[in-house]
Amino acid sequence: MTDDSPGGETPATMTARLSVPDMDCPSCAGKVEHALEGVAGVQSFDTQPTTGRVVVTYDPDEADEAELVAAIEAAGYEVTGWSGESEGERTEPASPGSVWTSPRALKTWVSAVLVAAGFLFEFLLPGSNAAVAELLGSDVLLSDAAFLGGILIAGQPIVRGGYYSLKSLNLDIDLLMSVAILGAVSASVAFGERLYFEAATLAVLFSVSELLESYSMDRARSSLEELMELSPDEATVQREGEEVTIPVEDVRVGDRVVVRPGEKIPMDGVVVEGESAVNQAPITGESVPVDKTEGDEVYAGTINEAGYLEVQVTAEATENTLARIVEMVEDAQANQTDREQFVERFAAYYTPVVVGAGILVGVVPPLFFGASWPTWILRGLTLFVLACPCAFVISTPVSVVSGVTSAAKNGVLVKGGNHLEAMGAVEAVAFDKTGTLTKGELTVTDVVPLGDNNDEDVLRCARGLESRSEHPIGDAIVEHADDRGIEGRAVSDFESVTGKGVTADLDGTTHYAGKPGYFADLGFDLSHVHAATDGGMVTQKSRDLCERNDCLDLLEDLVPRLQSEGKTVILVGTDEELEGVIAVADEVRPEAKASIQRLRDLGVEHTVMLTGDNERTAGAIAEQVGVDEFRAELLPEQKVEAVEDLTDEFEAVAMVGDGVNDAPALATATVGVAMGAAGTDTALETADIALMGDDLTRLPYLYDLSGRTNGVIRQNIWSSLAAKAILAAGVPLGFVPIWVAVLVGDAGMTTAVTGNAMRLSRVKPELDADGEN
């Protein structure tokens, strides 16, 4: 349960997450919704039949969880668990195998035996089929008694469900089947039409179909349960100098958790002792274990491969990365796809029309044309069976759940079915450069001393200037100088010049570091500077130039050459002289080029890189990774404009960035995809889709999965509609008996669309972390 109030005040609203495993179809959800509408204080609710969950927001001053549970159970559905403050845990649904030994299953098997016995006496041993009773002037034969027994046992849950449907004015399959069964029995008793066999067969077959649907739905839900089971139930914690094993719910922020080799890490935290390789595949989808040492973050549900670790907990069990992923996957179906909305609108008309057709088929031929009442009543009841839209209503959400959970297992968090659908329709992809196509880790690649300076002189000045800078380039220069053991100089009067560089007094002398344009503004002639001749880390190009002529043209030669290699150039100097040139580069991700090519192979029409870097650096990176276009020297608002231009040109555009700095552009795109979101609250909350690890290969996997999901949804919708249409057309012609309508039109199609959706769990990334097949 979430508490929405500040401090210890009574919250204005609270949220309950209830587990209702028997709510496995839209009609079931309708009855639960009707029950909740009658509870005072309920403000909103979200029923999720494909996961068996109900999320209710309510006013705690007017209602409590006990009232919510009572209302749902009064509608005929058991609540097996909820996420309350005292309970603190989720109850897992029964395993798929338990469906066949459930109370309803046992009733179904007993009824089937009775129906088989009745069939034996009526059709195979008619001589033994004696009258055993009389009902309203009609004899009740031994076979009829067996059929009635089967109807009473198997039909009881059906009629009970029909009662709740009628009570909530919900024209669903339970009500339709109840009318069909009771109608056949009534015709048998009132008119002597002897439709006991048909009614009993209908009750048994429908019960079997319900068991099949439950089994199929449990299979679909099991993929989500696998996510929930990633986190261990217990944790070993150090308290008062001793190790104690406690439930994860009792672990608190600040506790020190002990994780031995082969164990799962139970909580999000930071390593405070030990080192080991950690398998992060359950969270980020990374296939290679990641080395963890003191100060590194680890996530709940990941696996400690080899070493001993002590982890200081940084998040409660209900707020860690894995818990948030599970919650977001559960909630993903709340954002309906366009196809799902279409199907629901269609279903609202479909059922009343088919029910009306069933009434006309059952009444008109006997009443106006003298046809046989039993024959046409049975055909009308068969149309009632086909009036349930469950198969095509469930076809989209079950596909979405399968696709979203499959993505989560492979390190991709999709925030809703609408985003999954939209990603499959993307025609153009825009990439941020730093941290997306590149690693986002700048390093110094070249130091070119000028005049009488050497490389240490240049780095000493640069280190002093950049020591107070917060820019990543400054961090890279300071780190490089530290690695070489070069100390900075006394710094005073530091000033950052936005977009150009920095200035400060070093040992009393004013120095500058920044872009070539910054020094041009200061009045330097960058076309005529002298290279150092006494050593230093001089690039080969500059050394060649110096051997010919002790003069460098920075604007036309050295700087463009470094930039053409994808490097950013920083100049260092005083008011009077240029002291040196430092080149910094961000390494391109090894998988970037293969991932972009894979996107192109899958059908993406256009790829573009957006960056604030200069044209030459951007062009060099763009050529390395193989994008179709690049746009350089962009401010954040200009990135938004670039995405808007793409959306004008293409039907759907995805923007891939770091989830924080690129937030405006991510929000503008049709689909915003955040890189490396594991453990990052902002990215998890704001992105439409989050790649949990820093692995760009998950993007073509996501695009492939989205396209396949859209294909499966189309297959499910149109195949279920076609099956219903063909069966409905054949009913008046006598080609479709009632058992075919139940087994094919209801159970068969529901099982088929669920099984088809489960194929999505087999979609895997085709590239590894290095971009290889």
Side-chain angles (χ1 to χ4, degrees):
M1 175 184 293
T2 60
D3 185 330
D4 300 317
S5 68
E9 300 176 4
T10 302
T13 62
M14 298 188 81
T15 301
R17 307 179 71 85
L18 313 177
S19 178
V20 189
D22 291 337
M23 184 191 67
D24 55 9
C25 66
S27 61
C28 300
K31 282 180 275 192
V32 170
E33 290 169 1
H34 179 79
L36 291 172
E37 286 172 352
V39 178
V42 170
Q43 298 182 353
S44 65
F45 47 77
D46 176 27
T47 52
Q48 303 169 358
T50 45
T51 55
R53 307 276 178 188
V54 182
V55 182
V56 187
T57 301
Y58 64 97
D59 185 343
D61 292 332
E62 298 184 49
D64 57 31
E65 285 192 347
E67 292 180 64
L68 304 178
V69 171
I72 293 174
E73 292 186 337
Y77 296 93
E78 181 184 8
V79 179
T80 61
W82 57 90
S83 56
E85 290 177 329
S86 59
E87 292 78 4
E89 61 182 36
R90 299 168 183 265
T91 303
E92 297 181 8
S95 62
S98 66
V99 168
W100 308 111
T101 56
S102 64
R104 181 159 192 177
L106 296 178
K107 291 178 181 180
T108 302
W109 310 143
V110 171
S111 298
V113 170
L114 290 173
V115 171
F119 182 87
L120 179 68
F121 285 113
E122 181 160 339
F123 298 104
L124 302 181
L125 300 173
S128 303
N129 195 21
V132 294
E134 185 175 313
L135 187 62
L136 295 180
S138 299
D139 289 336
V140 176
L141 304 179
L142 187 59
S143 61
D144 297 335
F147 293 143
L148 282 170
I151 293 169
L152 288 173
I153 296 173
Q156 181 265 332
I158 302 172
V159 175
R160 180 171 176 266
Y163 163 74
Y164 287 118
S165 299
L166 184 62
K167 185 178 177 182
S168 61
L169 301 178
N170 189 6
L171 188 61
D172 64 4
I173 187 61
D174 286 332
L175 180 57
L176 294 170
M177 294 301 296
S178 298
V179 170
I181 292 169
L182 295 176
V185 172
S186 299
S188 301
V189 173
F191 305 111
E193 299 294 349
R194 310 192 78 80
L195 296 176
Y196 298 116
F197 170 67
E198 286 78 4
T201 303
L202 190 60
V204 171
L205 290 180
F206 180 68
S207 294
V208 171
S209 78
E210 290 289 279
L211 295 175
L212 283 170
E213 288 180 20
S214 296
Y215 175 74
S216 299
M217 195 57 64
D218 279 349
R219 285 186 59 206
R221 291 173 180 172
S222 66
S223 58
L224 177 59
E225 298 306 321
E226 289 173 11
L227 281 178
M228 297 173 63
E229 291 168 2
L230 288 175
S231 182
D233 297 325
E234 295 180 329
T236 301
V237 180
Q238 288 185 349
R239 287 187 177 170
E240 299 179 357
E242 296 183 356
E243 293 184 3
V244 294
T245 301
I246 60 176
V248 292
E249 292 84 9
D250 295 336
V251 180
R252 296 292 173 255
V253 173
D255 281 347
R256 182 175 286 208
V257 175
V258 174
V259 189
R260 292 183 170 82
E263 294 181 346
K264 290 182 179 178
I265 296 173
M267 309 287 286
D268 280 7
V270 176
V271 176
V272 291
E273 185 175 330
E275 58 182 44
S276 179
V278 174
N279 181 356
Q280 299 191 149
I283 301 296
T284 66
E286 295 169 284
S287 57
V288 179
V290 179
D291 291 332
K292 298 289 183 178
T293 59
E294 291 185 24
D296 290 337
E297 274 190 303
V298 291
Y299 310 118
T302 56
I303 303 165
N304 181 19
E305 293 280 339
Y308 171 89
L309 292 176
E310 290 185 13
V311 177
Q312 186 168 6
V313 176
T314 56
E316 300 280 355
T318 55
E319 298 174 355
N320 62 39
T321 302
L322 179 60
R324 295 204 305 273
I325 291 173
V326 171
E327 182 176 328
M328 289 177 182
V329 170
E330 287 180 341
D331 294 343
Q333 62 179 303
N335 298 327
Q336 292 185 324
T337 69
D338 292 340
R339 291 186 182 90
E340 192 170 0
Q341 294 174 30
F342 160 75
V343 166
E344 289 192 357
R345 291 193 299 269
F346 178 84
Y349 295 98
Y350 170 83
T351 299
V353 168
V354 178
V355 167
I359 294 172
L360 293 176
V361 166
V363 173
V364 171
L367 197 61
F368 295 100
F369 302 104
S372 168
W373 278 100
T375 299
W376 288 95
I377 286 178
L378 192 59
R379 292 178 182 178
L381 295 177
T382 304
L383 280 177
F384 274 29
V385 173
L386 294 173
C388 176
C390 281
F392 54 85
V393 170
I394 205 72
S395 60
T396 298
V398 75
S399 301
V400 167
V401 168
S402 181
V404 168
T405 52
S406 175
K409 291 177 188 176
N410 286 285
V412 179
L413 179 59
V414 183
K415 303 286 286 294
N418 54 335
H419 304 311
L420 188 65
E421 181 181 50
M423 189 65 201
V426 161
E427 295 177 348
V429 180
F431 296 90
D432 172 51
K433 180 184 78 71
T434 305
T436 301
L437 294 176
T438 64
K439 292 183 176 180
E441 300 172 357
L442 295 174
T443 57
V444 174
T445 59
D446 304 271
V447 177
V448 182
L450 302 174
D452 295 329
N453 300 287
N454 59 33
D455 58 330
E456 291 189 1
D457 296 331
V458 176
L459 285 172
R460 187 174 293 109
C461 289
R463 189 197 187 289
L465 286 164
E466 300 290 0
S467 60
R468 297 188 182 183
S469 171
E470 297 180 354
H471 197 283
I473 291 178
D475 293 340
I477 292 173
V478 171
E479 183 178 355
H480 182 74
D482 287 344
D483 290 343
R484 295 190 56 187
I486 299 173
E487 297 182 358
R489 298 166 62 176
V491 183
S492 62
D493 296 333
F494 174 85
E495 181 183 353
S496 175
V497 183
T498 304
K500 294 184 178 181
V502 296
T503 180
D505 286 351
L506 302 181
D507 297 327
T509 303
T510 302
H511 282 69
Y512 305 90
K515 295 179 178 180
Y518 184 27
F519 281 81
D521 292 342
L522 292 172
F524 281 91
D525 181 5
L526 301 183
S527 65
H528 190 132
V529 297
H530 292 278
T533 58
D534 55 350
M537 291 177 57
V538 184
T539 63
Q540 184 60 49
K541 293 184 179 67
S542 65
R543 184 180 294 114
D544 292 342
L545 284 170
C546 290
E547 288 173 355
R548 295 197 307 271
N549 187 340
D550 186 31
C551 180
L552 289 175
D553 186 337
L554 298 187
L555 287 180
E556 297 297 329
D557 226 321
L558 180 62
V559 171
R561 291 190 187 193
L562 291 172
Q563 290 177 340
S564 68
E565 296 170 5
K567 300 171 182 177
T568 299
V569 176
I570 300 297
L571 304 187
V572 180
T574 67
D575 286 324
E576 298 178 355
E577 69 167 340
L578 283 174
E579 296 176 331
V581 178
I582 298 177
V584 178
D586 184 5
E587 186 180 353
V588 172
R589 292 182 183 276
E591 75 275 15
K593 184 173 183 178
S595 297
I596 289 172
Q597 182 58 49
R598 178 63 182 151
L599 283 172
R600 191 175 287 113
D601 294 342
L602 290 169
V604 172
E605 297 179 16
H606 191 74
T607 55
V608 58
M609 183 184 77
L610 309 179
T611 179
D613 274 348
N614 62 74
E615 287 278 345
R616 288 192 179 93
T617 300
I621 299 296
E623 184 177 356
Q624 287 183 55
V625 300
V627 292
D628 299 316
E629 176 192 358
F630 71 91
R631 303 188 187 185
E633 300 179 5
L634 299 180
L635 297 173
E637 58 269 24
Q638 292 173 317
K639 287 186 179 182
V640 172
E641 294 173 3
V643 172
E644 289 175 342
D645 291 342
L646 289 171
T647 55
D648 290 339
E649 185 177 353
F650 298 95
E651 184 175 341
V653 176
M655 172 68 193
V656 188
D658 62 11
V660 180
N661 298 330
D662 298 304
L666 290 171
T668 304
T670 311
V671 183
V673 182
M675 284 282 293
T680 306
D681 291 343
T682 304
L684 282 175
E685 296 298 331
T686 59
D688 298 326
I689 298 174
L691 308 184
M692 302 304 291
D694 282 331
D695 186 357
L696 205 56
T697 64
R698 290 304 182 266
L699 188 64
Y701 157 75
L702 168 65
Y703 185 75
D704 185 26
L705 176 68
S706 301
R708 294 188 190 215
T709 301
N710 287 342
V712 165
I713 291 173
R714 286 192 297 268
Q715 293 165 15
N716 284 348
I717 291 174
W718 295 114
S719 62
S720 54
L721 283 174
K724 292 274 189 180
I726 293 170
L727 291 173
V731 168
L733 303 176
F735 296 149
V736 180
I738 197 166
W739 65 267
V740 170
V742 174
L743 288 184
V744 178
D746 184 56
M749 287 311 304
T750 301
T751 303
V753 299
T754 304
N756 192 34
M758 294 309 296
R759 293 191 300 114
L760 295 171
S761 64
R762 298 198 295 268
V763 181
K764 301 294 181 184
E766 294 192 7
L767 299 174
D768 62 19
D770 294 323
E772 297 180 0
N773 289 326

